[in-house]
Amino acid sequence: MNLKPLGDRVVIKLVEAEEKTKSGIVLPSSAKEQPQMAEVVAIGADILNDEKKKDQIKVNDRVIFSKYAGTEVKIDGEEYTILKLNDILAVVE
Amino acid sequence: MNLKPLGDRVVIKLVEAEEKTKSGIVLPSSAKEQPQMAEVVAIGADILNDEKKKDQIKVNDRVIFSKYAGTEVKIDGEEYTILKLNDILAVVE
Amino acid sequence: MNLKPLGDRVVIKLVEAEEKTKSGIVLPSSAKEQPQMAEVVAIGADILNDEKKKDQIKVNDRVIFSKYAGTEVKIDGEEYTILKLNDILAVVE
Amino acid sequence: MNLKPLGDRVVIKLVEAEEKTKSGIVLPSSAKEQPQMAEVVAIGADILNDEKKKDQIKVNDRVIFSKYAGTEVKIDGEEYTILKLNDILAVVE
Amino acid sequence: MNLKPLGDRVVIKLVEAEEKTKSGIVLPSSAKEQPQMAEVVAIGADILNDEKKKDQIKVNDRVIFSKYAGTEVKIDGEEYTILKLNDILAVVE
Amino acid sequence: MNLKPLGDRVVIKLVEAEEKTKSGIVLPSSAKEQPQMAEVVAIGADILNDEKKKDQIKVNDRVIFSKYAGTEVKIDGEEYTILKLNDILAVVE
Amino acid sequence: MNLKPLGDRVVIKLVEAEEKTKSGIVLPSSAKEQPQMAEVVAIGADILNDEKKKDQIKVNDRVIFSKYAGTEVKIDGEEYTILKLNDILAVVE
């Protein structure tokens, strides 16, 4: 079963803590609007059809996003977040 | 009797709990803005006439939407929600 | 005496309760923003002159609208509501 | 002495109560945002120069408008209200 | 020394009370947002260069404006108000 | 060392009190949003490249601006304010 | 490991205090919205592809930005801030 995000939305999946530690990224827990790291799972049609946006993000990219952005959904035991492309701050390379 | 949504609105019908469980989707009850799953019943003319929007959603699609979006109406004993396309987060495939 | 709504406004008249019951529509009285059913009495010039909007609604249509939308006026003993087209959620067919 | 409203503004003059009663219009005094009836005295240049707007309203028209819209001014003992065209709900014919 | 208003701003000078009385205009002191009468002293370049706006107002015009609009400045003992054209309600002729 | 303002921003430097007094401008200290006088130090590229804006302000102009607009910075012992062109009310000539 | 900012965002790195002192810039600690100095580390694609914006800022530029703008992230022990170009006030030359 898949989630196809509508409009300029993206579906992402949180990266586990141990994995995050290995990557060297630490996100400050005291920050008011805590950013988090996730992996891109699906990209909405409005992004894929936009010449300027489609090259900025692709499935499997690691991204930093604001903690309070988007909506959480659990499917087949896995938790996902659906959010707008504009709520993704950066891609980690 | 039918509901024809105006503008870029969509009429949806909530998916029953038992059916939702079989589908494997669990929506967290503690989330502040609880998303829900529903089936698309009717689509407004502004969506059907928009080249970019008309392919993103169709009648009978299963969709995830924000709990507080839209307005509830009961017709012939059935409950429906009328909401804007933009309040639908994703289609479940 | 007639009311000619300005801009993209519509004049509607509430449908009586007994008539509403026969129609099979029940609007939940506990909802925060209670939708109501009404009949379209007059349509503003901006709607009639808009190719996309003029086919979505016509005089005598039954419509669902948000309770708090619009302004109520009483003319010759009849109560009317003047509201924007965008505050009408759906046409009942 | 005259008032020439700027932009898309209109100058109106309240219709007296006795006259209002004869006209058959009664505006509910309990409504939160009480609409009122008035006569159009002057129309701003932006309306007169707009093909779509200039036919919707003319001097001497009776109009319904929101009570809290606009600014009141007294000139030569007469009270006027200066408001935006968009705050006029309907013309009474 | 002169004030050259930037953008779509206008510099105005309040009309004295005695002069106001002679003119026959009385502005209600109990109104929440008290309008006032003033004389136009200088007009910003964006207004003078706009075909639609430049004919609506000129230096020495008497105007009605909202009391809380704009910023007051005192130059060489004279008080002026700098405000946006949109905060001027009407010209008194 | 110089400050190059980004976008439609301007860098200004407050005019000293004694100098202000000589100029004859007095800004009321009781006003809620106290305007102030300053000298233009640098102008952002978006203003210099805009045909309509570039003639309205130049380096060394004396300007009136809202006290709470912009951000203060101290460089080499001198205090500057960085603000948007739109927060400058008028040029003093 | 690198951060590639999305849209019109920029990644910056705070300039150390001792270095800041040598540069002669002092930012007032009592200001309500404390500006800070930083070095540009990466620039988003929307800025690099915009003819007007791409010449206003480049990697290694020293910039002044609002303290509360953007989101802080720590990567490999280094702290970065991801913010919108519009939150950068000026380049220090």
Side-chain angles (χ1 to χ4, degrees), chain A residues 75-87:
Chain A
I75 300 188
D76 299 334
E78 297 267 19
E79 268 191 32
Y80 297 96
T81 296
I82 307 172
L83 78 177
K84 301 232 169 190
L85 175 62
N86 198 33
D87 288 324

Side-chain angles (χ1 to χ4, degrees), chain D residues 5-32:
Chain D
L6 285 199
D8 61 346
R9 288 188 181 84
V10 175
V11 177
I12 58 178
K13 197 167 158 295
L14 274 183
V15 172
E16 299 301 325
E18 56 266 53
E19 199 176 342
K20 218 153 55 178
T21 305
K22 272 185 288 176
S23 77
I25 294 202
V26 183
L27 301 168
S29 63
S30 63
K32 263 195 310 205

Side-chain angles (χ1 to χ4, degrees), chain A residues 22-40:
Chain A
K22 270 186 287 175
S23 78
I25 293 202
V26 182
L27 301 167
S29 63
S30 63
K32 265 196 308 210
E33 192 183 310
Q34 250 184 323
Q36 300 211 342
M37 195 159 106
E39 202 173 288
V40 176

